[in-house]
Amino acid sequence: MHGALRKEIATYEGRTTHSAAAHKRALQRIPLGVASNYRHYEPYPLFVKDGQGSHIHDIDGNEYIDHNLCFGALMAGHCHPAVVKAVEQKLHEGTTFGMPHDQEWELAEEICDRYPVEMVRFGSSGTEVTMHACRIARAATGRDKIIKFEGAYHGLHDTALVSVKPKAEDWGDPEAPTSVPGGGGVPKASLANVAVAVFNNLASVERRFKENPGQIAAVILEPILMNVGLCLPRPGFLEGLRKLCDANGALLIFDEVKTGAKLAWGGASDFFGVKPDIICLAKSIGGGLPLGAFGASRAVMELISQHKVFHGGTYNTNRVAMSAGLAMFREVLTRENYVHVGKLSKKLAEGYRAIVKKSGLQAYVASAGVNGALMLYPQEIRNYRDWTKIDVDLWRHYWFAMVNRGVLAQPYWWDEQWTISVQHTEADIDKHLAVFEEVAPALAHAQQERGVAPVGAAGH
Ligand SMILES: Cc1ncc(COP(=O)(O)O)c(C=O)c1O
């Protein structure tokens, strides 16, 4: 660890003694002291007190401009008035019944208006809806295997938890990656049903189809790979996948858990002009409440009506989450708000680029929609293995230095990215940039001392 990082961590520890104590207490009863592994990092995570608009406080009373926004689930920002009003009202009318109600078709209409799907079912998380998407694709094709991309994250079910962050000693052939379990408990049978391909490499996908003739049910991907900072599809990549799926009788699943709301009004299919067969939505469509949805053509979704594919869930369409979802589609994810966040996003990304250039830092800034990331690598990454070359301690230096100056620039972990909410202001972006301008020269200096030479890392 270089000296400047050590100093930033010491400052962090000095500012956050209550978080340290809270974490110590939590460790006694909760593995890692957190409710989701992604929330844990060294020396200990910030414990949050409250949030309002674009800002949060930790339990030591420090205030931050929040670009973590619950790992990108809060394009609404904290306590958006439209969401609060909708939710409050429903809290007094009954939260959950396990019976159908009118908000279901209302939200289904909103989704079908915006995305190229004809029917929708709801769930409560991204994991749930990507799981159902894979299952219905398997049922629709009568095939078992799914192609996913190395480094891609689609949640925690057995099909998704394959080659999420494989280590170099396990990952195998760069053109035909080994299917590596994302931890214990993923059955070998699941691994055998997931063929791993390389993002931005159509030949690797074609090869998987050839190796598994008539066996691939679907290709699942995030149209922008967001589990590696931010990695855009190369021109023609998504179109090529569409063709390969059509040629091989497989379905194309867009996991739009992040991009669905945050990339553009109509999500990635609209932005890139490529129509998938199944779309998965979650995170920001729920305005902070647990809400997911998956949708497809009538022909595919009718498999549920015909009792050929089973779908259910006690908390599906609970009225609190549905009210939040309706408020999001009708009052928050509006065309005007996309113009507002678009301006802020451009300002932040361009501001970062100018500061990177001025400081001499060997890095680039990736951005799309309301997301972006400082990529501490000299060339644009194309896939997961490129991303593993990022200098992790330099990234930690960046993150802690920003936090110590009141900016939560993104969630902790260098595979994440910043989000801008509709409640962020020009002043927030100005402050964010001013802090980055203060921090960048020290980063450039540390980078020169450490050598630009990459440090391999497999993340969490
Ligand atoms: C692209 C993508 N898909 C699926 C998921 C899983 O969503 P959830 O955490 O709601 O289960 C995530 C979560 O980060 C995600 O980013």
Side-chain angles (χ1 to χ4, degrees):
M1 192 189 296
H2 55 286
L5 170 59
R6 211 172 302 121
K7 242 166 122 178
E8 292 295 349
I9 292 178
T11 305
Y12 175 89
E13 287 172 336
R15 285 164 49 90
T16 57
T17 52
H18 288 88
S19 280
H23 186 239
K24 203 167 162 204
R25 193 170 51 220
L27 278 169
Q28 302 306 313
R29 294 286 183 208
I30 303 170
L32 292 174
V34 294
S36 164
N37 280 22
Y38 299 105
R39 300 178 195 175
H40 175 261
Y41 50 88
E42 297 292 338
Y44 51 82
L46 285 177
F47 274 58
V48 71
K49 177 170 170 277
D50 56 21
Q52 188 66 241
S54 56
H55 288 237
I56 61 167
H57 292 102
D58 67 19
I59 59 172
D60 284 275
N62 299 303
E63 185 168 345
Y64 305 91
I65 298 174
D66 185 13
H67 291 278
N68 170 346
L69 293 168
C70 191
F71 289 81
L74 277 172
M75 183 165 158
H78 299 280
C79 309
H80 190 287
V83 175
V84 171
K85 187 169 166 228
V87 165
E88 258 176 2
Q89 211 172 348
K90 282 296 167 211
L91 284 175
H92 299 286
E93 294 172 11
T95 56
T96 194
F97 298 90
M99 293 164 73
H101 55 86
D102 269 357
Q103 289 176 316
E104 296 173 340
W105 70 261
E106 285 186 44
L107 192 52
E109 284 289 335
E110 294 287 343
I111 289 173
C112 294
D113 275 353
R114 204 175 277 230
Y115 307 100
V117 295
E118 292 176 322
M119 296 183 94
V120 181
R121 272 283 177 104
F122 296 97
S124 303
S125 71
T127 293
E128 213 184 320
V129 295
T130 63
M131 177 184 75
H132 289 300
C134 291
R135 182 172 296 140
I136 206 165
R138 284 171 164 143
T141 55
R143 302 168 176 183
D144 282 347
K145 293 190 179 175
I146 302 282
I147 294 178
K148 84 171 279 286
F149 290 94
E150 192 172 48
Y153 184 65
H154 302 295
L156 298 155
H157 52 96
D158 289 344
T159 297
L161 217 49
V162 177
S163 293
V164 176
K165 286 281 189 287
K167 293 194 164 63
E169 56 267 35
D170 300 325
W171 64 27
D173 187 335
E175 296 291 318
T178 305
S179 296
V180 180
V186 177
K188 288 190 184 67
S190 293
L191 295 178
N193 280 323
V194 179
V196 179
V198 181
F199 197 75
N200 274 326
N201 181 337
L202 283 175
S204 77
V205 182
E206 202 167 358
R207 175 169 170 170
R208 291 313 196 191
F209 273 115
K210 280 200 182 124
E211 287 167 352
N212 300 279
Q215 296 173 66
I216 304 292
V219 174
I220 185 168
L221 81 155
E222 269 194 291
I224 298 177
L225 191 54
M226 295 242 198
N227 200 35
V228 293
L230 199 153
C231 177
L232 288 161
R234 290 269 160 110
F237 179 63
L238 299 178
E239 291 82 353
L241 288 179
R242 178 68 277 173
K243 282 192 192 138
L244 280 172
C245 284
D246 290 343
N248 290 281
L251 302 187
L252 182 61
I253 304 173
F254 274 6
D255 175 352
E256 294 225 50
V257 164
K258 280 185 170 173
T259 55
K262 294 194 296 166
L263 182 59
W265 187 87
S269 47
D270 182 31
F271 186 82
F272 291 113
V274 174
K275 186 177 172 302
D277 298 294
I278 305 178
I279 290 183
C280 304
L281 300 165
K283 293 210 173 189
S284 273
I285 65 161
L289 278 292
L291 177 64
F294 64 104
S297 65
R298 195 168 297 281
V300 169
M301 295 301 281
E302 290 284 23
L303 291 170
I304 298 174
S305 326
Q306 294 156 9
H307 298 285
K308 290 181 177 157
V309 173
F310 196 75
H311 173 255
T314 300
Y315 292 104
N316 291 357
T317 72
N318 75 81
R319 299 215 297 181
V320 183
M322 293 299 273
S323 304
L326 281 168
M328 284 304 293
F329 276 94
R330 291 173 178 171
E331 298 174 67
V332 181
L333 301 174
T334 59
R335 294 206 184 264
E336 304 79 69
N337 276 339
Y338 280 100
V339 173
H340 168 66
V341 291
K343 274 193 205 141
L344 298 186
S345 180
K346 188 161 180 271
K347 182 174 171 139
L348 188 61
E350 286 179 359
Y352 257 68
R353 285 188 188 113
I355 294 165
V356 164
K357 198 164 167 204
K358 192 167 133 201
S359 68
L361 195 59
Q362 299 262 344
Y364 71 95
V365 178
S367 81
V370 299
N371 290 122
L374 174 67
M375 305 292 288
L376 290 167
Y377 195 58
Q379 304 106 37
E380 193 172 334
I381 64 161
R382 294 153 304 167
N383 55 42
Y384 167 71
R385 294 195 193 184
D386 284 353
W387 169 83
T388 62
K389 294 171 189 155
I390 279 174
D391 183 338
V392 168
D393 270 356
L394 196 66
W395 185 89
R396 281 157 49 81
H397 181 173
Y398 160 68
W399 193 85
F400 283 107
M402 298 295 287
V403 162
N404 288 338
R405 291 159 182 79
V407 179
L408 204 45
Q410 62 160 84
Y412 185 89
W413 295 111
W414 44 101
D415 58 358
E416 280 292 331
Q417 57 291 133
W418 67 60
T419 294
I420 296 167
S421 81
V422 300
Q423 296 193 74
H424 277 78
T425 62
E426 295 261 350
D428 291 329
I429 305 299
D430 286 337
K431 161 102 195 272
H432 187 153
L433 287 172
V435 168
F436 182 54
E437 189 151 27
E438 189 186 328
V439 165
L443 291 177
H445 182 71
Q447 190 179 47
Q448 272 152 22
E449 273 188 354
R450 292 164 63 73
V452 180
V455 181
H460 39 83

